[in-house]
Amino acid sequence: MSGLSWGILGTGSIAHAFARAVAKSETCTLARTGSRASTSAQAFVEKLKSDDNPRVAAGAQAFASSGSYEALLADPAVDAVYIATPHTSHAQWAIRAAQAGKHVLVEKPAALNHADTMAMVEAARAANVFFMEAFMYRLAPQTRTLVEMIEHGDIGSVRTIEASFGYHAPFNAQSRLFANDLGGGGIMDVGLYPVSFARLVAGANAKTGFMNPTSVKGAARLGETGVDEWAAALMTFDYDVIAQLSTGVSAWLPNTANVYGETGSLHLQGPWHAAGVEGGTSKIELRRFGKAPEFIEVTQDKWLYEIEADHVAECISKGLTESPLVPTADTLGNMRALDAWRETARFRYTSEAITSGWPTASRLPLQVSPDAPMQMRTIRGVAKPVSALIMGCDNQTSMPHAAVQFDDFVTQGGNCFDTAHLYGDGIMEKLLGRWMQDRGIRDDLVLICKGAHTPDCRPDAVRPQLEESLERLRTDRADIYFLHRDDPQVPIGEWVDLLNELKDEGRISVFGGSNWTKERMAEANAYAAANNKQGFGVLSNNFSLARMNNPIWPGVMACSDDDYRAWLEETNTALFSWSSQARGFFTERAGPDIKTDADLVYAFYSDDNFERRRRAYELAEKKGVEPMTIALAYVLAQKMPTCALVGPRTLSELRTSLAVFSIGLSSDEVAWLDLRS
């Protein structure tokens, strides 16, 4: 039999159910299995070959063991891999499968959290292979019929959703259902189904396919192993849709789903397995006020896992890299909602704590990709080249999120990280410090620290803040140090003398001002030259194609004007620009008639800036990139050494910024964009 050739990673009960379906499928071939134990893999093969169902047994005759997981991924007989290992290892093997050129179907949950899921999706994108989370209920005829009824308006606009999935399992601290180190608990075992369902229904109501919640409020009973034994969540969506969800591994729940609309309601008695794993019929109950209930019978003529395997095969045959019914954006949205449920229920796994560190998602050593696109800059006084894009450490609030973002940045060739004493009350510095220690790459990085922010903008605050920052960062030095603000009432010599003391002690190397005026920068350098001291060699002000008309935060300053830019060029002062893409001004978030973001309007709206924006859009169309890429390219194309701080919250946002290295701007284009020609 020809068709998509499958390798099965894992030999548990759900792997067995999927393998039986593949063996029965007319579009797929059951090729290989792999396990941590070769005896387990061989027993898995023999069980399939002697299956009671003749079609399954016949379809499994060519089935064989590759041995280990690694051997399966290297096996040329395998086109696609179904990953059914414990979900704490899903990310590891999904990433490695993608890197091996295999299409990936991974059991739910895709990973332990949104961060690792991002890494999986990015690995599949980079390898140009198919990726899907195995939510087979989404593909069932019953679910598709329900979606059609909601989209058709059979119950009017959706008002509320109720969904539950839970059962009572005998407590066993070592069981995957209760073990903290195996990602146990109801939310990540079966609670993800009600979340997925609510997001699907809310999306059907809006005809958007799926929808992410606008708010999540969770509660959970944490047992002796620290995982949720039962839990509930209240989620709200656009169009005033409210969902009540519940789950548990120690609570018998109805395991039903109900959707209530303005003119009627829909009820599913078996939402998660529809007509059953091996097919049959199911019913959707439709109730309307004043009318007898209607029962819509839905036929499922294939096994549920067979539908899933065939769907993947069809998508791949069409050249798709994701499913239109379970797209990667949907998977990422579901994981983010699950993170929010756990966060609001005050439940994190012990492995996610900052004290535990966090390995790379693939569990492989961190290394720069051979085709990393990052460009480097030479900064006077810094011992190593500095990446043109700098990772801003001001939005990462958990170890998984920080580690995945930082790992990807290094993989893409980035080596410079920017942080500050006040960011997140120190949590960002602690996360970066833990990550640097775990990876053992401090000496490969360029570390930026900042201190003396208002109201502590005074010389006597610098040393204790720097010492605390370095302790959080688990290092003894900062490569670059910025005074985060300036107090013009402080004699310039006090700042310069203090920073030279810290430099002579080996605590910092290069230093300068952030949000400093040109006049004070020049005054600092004049004092340093007169007293045989090191001057201010770097500046970190706002610099962007769109000029900042008003300070977006109190005390901040730009250097985009002609005079300041000329001074930077003349002195060859290195610029580390923040908000270099003008906080979304070069996206659809901005426009003369769009005034939803008051800060954006206040800081960047002006006739000149809208003309710069128009030109950026025109040039972007010619070069085949996004307008924000043109805006970033403008910053990096300056005559003085320039680096741009970026603060991506997702891996896809970093990918958008990296596109800047695929284009170049001529000096004429730079001048034209800035209205100088």
Side-chain angles (χ1 to χ4, degrees), residues 102-117:
K102 311 297 185 185
H103 302 293
V104 177
L105 176 65
V106 60
E107 256 311 322
K108 66 255 165 234
L112 199 63
N113 48 54
H114 176 264
D116 269 359
T117 307

Side-chain angles (χ1 to χ4, degrees), residues 143-153 156-158 161 197-211 239 241 259:
T143 305
R144 305 318 310 160
T145 301
L146 177 82
V147 168
E148 291 171 3
M149 294 176 71
I150 294 170
E151 290 180 339
H152 187 260
S157 297
V158 172
I161 304 163
F197 181 83
R199 295 175 56 260
L200 178 68
V201 169
N205 180 62
K207 296 182 175 62
T208 58
F210 61 88
M211 182 178 286
Y239 302 100
V241 176
V259 183

